[in-house]
Amino acid sequence: MNYNFNWGVVADAMPTLLGGLGLTLQIAVITITISMVLAVPLTMARMARIEVIRWAAQAYIEVFRCTPLLVQLFWIFYALPALTGITLPGYVSAVIALSANLTAFMAEAYRSGFQAVPVEQVEAGRMLQLSHLQQLRHIILPQALRQQLPVILSLNISLFKDTALVSTIAVADLMFVANTVSAQSYRSLEVFTVAALMYFAIAFPVSLITSHIEARMQRAAGHGPAAKKLFLTRLVPGMKPVAA
């Protein structure tokens, strides 16, 4: 191997790369916040008794789950202005596309959690004369979020990684900045390696937290391996969890 590494290029570009990472995190946080809120009414619509509302919600979910996120991003950035006559900045288009996509996946996670809430507790809420909104706020939503927390965190990790796609519409996120620095310095190996490590440094700890929460939930349910053993399986290749 005759390649001569030059990490000085990365050191010089580190402030720019960190700025791109900051924008990536900003987009991710905004998108996750919007999606977690919008997924609640979408879930309620998906479970509605009125067929028109239920089928409309399901159609929305299936469209965004079954088409590539990159296509959705391009459609909102390039095609939507042709229909509306309104040109959206790349940043706004990115947030809209990512939020619309994540909301569809989040709604399905919520629906699974809603359906897992014991019917007896919902009936108890009715006996206490709680309104539908109060039942949702005090009984259904807290339990659904708690039960589906590992799934929600996994979706958020995937969303964080998918933010790299916004570089295709000239949003100056980490991937866009890394590509620019690479083109200017001709040091693709060093630049993209550091960019990958930045993504990894954010996503991997959250992934471990997700596994730990899932292990604790399994342990609390009285089945599955101990939390510590399941946690170690994420770190040691080939290690299989052993039931307690």
Side-chain angles (χ1 to χ4, degrees):
M1 182 176 179
N2 298 322
Y3 188 83
N4 295 319
F5 288 90
N6 181 8
W7 297 104
V9 172
V10 177
D12 294 338
M14 187 57 67
T16 306
L17 291 172
L18 290 175
L21 178 61
L23 185 59
T24 294
L25 290 173
Q26 182 184 105
I27 293 174
V29 170
I30 293 175
T31 298
I32 290 169
T33 303
I34 293 174
S35 299
M36 291 191 68
V37 174
L38 294 182
V40 176
L42 181 60
T43 303
M44 300 303 294
R46 175 66 179 82
M47 300 173 65
R49 295 181 180 180
I50 302 175
E51 290 190 2
V52 175
I53 297 177
R54 186 172 66 250
W55 283 106
Q58 184 173 357
Y60 172 91
I61 291 172
E62 295 304 328
V63 166
F64 280 93
R65 290 178 64 197
C66 298
T67 56
L69 176 56
L70 185 60
V71 174
Q72 299 166 17
L73 187 65
F74 281 177
W75 194 91
I76 291 175
F77 185 68
Y78 293 109
L80 189 60
L83 293 176
T84 62
I86 301 174
T87 301
L88 298 175
Y91 183 92
V92 176
S93 298
V95 171
I96 293 175
L98 293 174
S99 299
N101 180 272
L102 182 60
T103 298
F105 286 90
M106 200 76 74
E108 284 298 281
Y110 282 8
R111 184 169 70 92
S112 178
F114 285 7
Q115 293 175 340
V117 176
V119 179
E120 295 80 5
Q121 296 191 22
V122 179
E123 292 178 349
R126 293 173 183 168
M127 293 288 292
L128 294 173
Q129 297 183 347
L130 297 179
S131 65
H132 290 295
L133 184 59
Q134 289 174 326
Q135 292 176 32
L136 178 65
R137 178 182 176 184
H138 298 292
I139 299 175
I140 300 175
L141 193 56
Q143 295 188 62
L145 290 177
R146 190 181 307 114
Q147 181 171 354
Q148 294 298 310
L149 185 57
V151 177
I152 293 172
L153 290 177
S154 296
L155 290 174
N156 292 342
I157 293 172
S158 297
L159 180 277
F160 170 70
K161 294 184 296 181
D162 288 342
T163 56
L165 295 175
V166 306
S167 63
T168 58
I169 56 173
V171 177
D173 71 323
L174 175 57
M175 191 63 189
F176 182 87
V177 170
N179 192 38
T180 302
V181 173
S182 172
Q184 293 174 348
S185 63
Y186 300 99
R187 289 289 173 176
S188 300
L189 179 58
E190 293 91 333
V191 173
F192 286 119
T193 297
V194 171
L197 290 175
M198 286 182 171
Y199 282 110
F200 182 82
I202 301 296
F204 184 62
V206 180
S207 178
L208 292 180
I209 293 172
T210 303
S211 296
H212 184 66
I213 293 174
E214 185 177 4
R216 291 189 62 180
M217 292 174 62
Q218 291 180 356
R219 190 176 183 181
H223 57 81
K228 183 177 180 181
K229 292 181 179 179
L230 187 59
F231 178 81
L232 290 175
T233 60
R234 298 297 303 272
L235 300 177
V236 182
M239 182 177 178
K240 297 181 179 179
V242 180

